[in-house]
Amino acid sequence: MADGHANGDEGLTLDDLHVGQRFESGTHAIDEAQIVAFASQFDPQRFHLDDEAARHTLFGGLAASGWHTAAITMKLIVGGGAPFAGGVIGAGGEIAWPRPTQPGDVLQVFSEVLEVTPSRSKPERGAVTLMSETRNQHGNVLQTLKARLIVPRRPPPAG
Amino acid sequence: MADGHANGDEGLTLDDLHVGQRFESGTHAIDEAQIVAFASQFDPQRFHLDDEAARHTLFGGLAASGWHTAAITMKLIVGGGAPFAGGVIGAGGEIAWPRPTQPGDVLQVFSEVLEVTPSRSKPERGAVTLMSETRNQHGNVLQTLKARLIVPRRPPPAG
């Protein structure tokens, strides 16, 4: 994506995006140590901390915090899964976790552009709705995220 | 919340919840070191890593990753901001970040029960829709989260 749109960033501007465009991220392998470290800091519940205790819960075994899955998804998107000029700036969205993320899962994010909307009030940018599925190595969907992103427009030619 | 509902957990069951019920969490003070540490691991973009670089972006200065705000919100909810039996188990929800979280912000979560729905197929549990606002010490809303949570019902009396 090194087609350099002369706005101080490499990456796609709003004008380079269209509905149906797809992106695929790299991968991230998650293990028990990562799950417990994140949960200890942000979501210290027994099903995110201890495999034995988690067996007696809804999860049936150690599961990552949904917010951990979300954070890894962001890492994968920022790392090339959505190569937008100016970075990946989200205003919000809808998130769901259809199944738990477990130790040994290898996460990858598959994204598709659902909407591209130039801003009426701000000529230099617009909004993109991006649907991102986070899947494991078996193709199971661990998270869906429909996000509203702010993306810059291509600057007008100089002169 | 030590009214012990005999399900192996202290905390409120679905039967103890009603629409309009409100909860208030403790507080969490965020600083530059936390913001940079989280962003380095999960959201390494310049506006989350470097105050000087962030001045030339939409944010106007160092801002926490939205997922960091979400993770701290979860920490505050789990730490007493929503004292549900069985823990705080989310199936998904809608999230928005109306303003950036900045160094020096002291976060607190204010939640309200919007819906309580017993499961038709699973008599032992149900769903709760909880609206949680994460505010800073000035009362500014940094995040809204409308989450669908799974909450156990009170077990029937023995015998």
Side-chain angles (χ1 to χ4, degrees), chain A residues 86 89, chain B residues 46-48 50 52-63:
Chain A
I89 302 176
Chain B
R46 64 197 188 289
F47 34 77
H48 300 319
D50 184 281
E52 180 56 31
R55 289 187 194 281
H56 309 289
T57 69
L58 202 61
F59 295 103
L62 190 70

Side-chain angles (χ1 to χ4, degrees), chain A residues 64-84:
Chain A
S65 170
W67 302 108
H68 193 185
T69 302
I72 292 170
T73 297
M74 189 63 184
K75 182 200 139 180
L76 291 170
I77 288 176
V78 166
F84 299 161

Side-chain angles (χ1 to χ4, degrees), chain B residues 116-138:
Chain B
V116 179
T117 316
S119 169
R120 287 186 186 201
S121 60
K122 300 195 192 296
E124 77 282 8
R125 66 192 203 212
V128 169
T129 304
L130 191 73
M131 173 59 85
S132 296
E133 281 192 2
T134 307
R135 301 182 202 152
N136 67 10
Q137 70 274 32
H138 308 298

